[in-house]
Amino acid sequence: MVPRLGQKYEFETEVVSKPIAAYQTDEYFELDLPAAPALMVGEEIVVEGADVSEDKLEAVICRHLGLPAPEPKKKGFFSRIFGG
């Protein structure tokens, strides 16, 4: 999802992946970063410890870049029936 949005809006992404134990150290907490897994756009924590919808992420990216929010995607037939 993030690479696709990175191509659409031309921004750089950085992925940080460490063993769980590395996120539970005093040194990590001193960095004042969110608990993993997390997603940040600029200095804004979009989500911490959960999943995020592509629509919400795209809206945050647009706000960060000073662009208008994208139009909400129309729900398809199955989404309307099954609540997706």
Side-chain angles (χ1 to χ4, degrees):
M1 165 179 21
V2 174
R4 180 174 56 250
L5 291 174
Q7 291 173 347
K8 183 176 180 180
Y9 294 104
E10 297 183 24
F11 65 89
E12 292 183 32
T13 61
E14 179 182 352
V15 177
V16 178
S17 179
K18 299 177 183 184
I20 293 174
Y23 293 109
Q24 298 172 342
T25 64
D26 290 337
E27 292 81 17
Y28 182 79
F29 287 111
E30 289 174 5
L31 295 174
D32 200 30
L33 293 172
L39 188 99
M40 295 177 69
V41 174
E43 297 295 318
E44 179 181 349
I45 299 171
V46 178
V47 68
E48 184 174 12
D51 290 334
V52 65
S53 72
E54 184 170 345
D55 294 335
K56 179 179 178 181
L57 177 58
E58 188 170 8
V60 172
I61 290 168
C62 288
R63 186 173 61 245
H64 180 75
L65 296 174
L67 301 171
E71 293 291 322
K73 295 179 184 173
K74 293 183 180 181
K75 290 191 172 187
F77 176 75
F78 289 109
S79 295
R80 290 190 300 251
I81 291 175
F82 298 111

